[in-house]
Amino acid sequence: MERLPVESSTAVSVGYDEASQTLEIEFKSGTYQYYNVPLTIYEQMMASDSIGKFIHVYIKPAYPYSRV
């Protein structure tokens, strides 16, 4: 999955596959895939003032994930 670099204190890059609704986030500590993430959530995250805070509040507690 192709990821785009992001400006964040915790995330390095972010990718999204719309067909599978998979969000892939490369953190400084490792890369994780989050599943069943709607496109609207990805778009809101990318438009947010703080990607790291958005991930912590809206992604991590809400979607199943695995480390890749």
Side-chain angles (χ1 to χ4, degrees):
M1 179 182 305
E2 184 178 339
R3 293 190 304 264
L4 300 172
V6 293
E7 291 199 23
S8 170
S9 59
T10 57
V12 176
S13 63
V14 173
Y16 184 74
D17 181 72
E18 189 174 354
S20 65
Q21 292 191 315
T22 301
L23 174 64
E24 187 170 281
I25 303 172
E26 178 189 2
F27 294 100
K28 294 176 180 173
S29 61
T31 302
Y32 292 80
Q33 287 188 339
Y34 295 85
Y35 307 106
N36 306 316
V37 179
L39 177 61
T40 54
I41 295 294
Y42 168 71
E43 291 172 337
Q44 289 171 15
M45 179 189 69
M46 295 303 283
S48 70
D49 290 336
S50 172
I51 288 177
K53 186 175 182 180
F54 190 96
I55 292 167
H56 181 71
V57 173
Y58 298 105
I59 304 294
K60 285 185 175 184
Y63 299 98
Y65 65 91
S66 64
R67 188 172 181 155
V68 291

